[in-house]
Amino acid sequence: MQSEVAQVLAIQALGWIAAEDEIFPVFLTATGASMTELRSRAADPEFLAAVLDFLLQDDRWVVAFCDAEGHPYTAPQEARAALPGGAVMNWT
């Protein structure tokens, strides 16, 4: 997945998270982001990587997001791999 496509998916994920009343406060607490910072960093690839890291913590969130946005369930992980720090480690 290209970085630009990954960023669009992550922005969609951020919008989905923000619309979820039960998940959004957890996201703000987990990231430590304020609403001002959220707005100013919404296009920052490193912040978007953190958005996907958060989403990927819970399979139920991944399924709900993908169902809502029409993405395959593998899309968030593929997008995360295309953003900073997302390279898959090869331990061999």
Side-chain angles (χ1 to χ4, degrees):
M1 180 178 293
Q2 295 180 347
S3 178
E4 296 80 17
V5 174
Q7 289 178 41
V8 169
L9 187 137
I11 290 169
Q12 290 174 340
L14 178 59
W16 180 83
I17 290 167
E20 295 296 315
D21 292 338
E22 292 181 15
I23 299 171
F24 190 52
V26 177
F27 172 77
L28 291 175
T29 300
T31 61
S34 67
M35 291 302 292
T36 302
E37 184 178 15
L38 188 98
R39 288 183 194 102
S40 69
R41 296 195 63 204
D44 176 0
E46 290 181 8
F47 182 75
L48 293 174
V51 169
L52 292 177
D53 285 341
F54 176 81
L55 179 72
L56 290 164
Q57 291 181 75
D58 192 315
D59 290 342
R60 294 171 298 166
W61 299 346
V62 172
V63 169
F65 163 69
C66 290
D67 286 349
E69 297 296 328
H71 294 296
Y73 298 137
T74 57
Q77 182 62 44
E78 292 170 5
R80 179 60 189 98
L83 294 173
V88 176
M89 295 298 242
N90 183 354
W91 297 100
T92 59

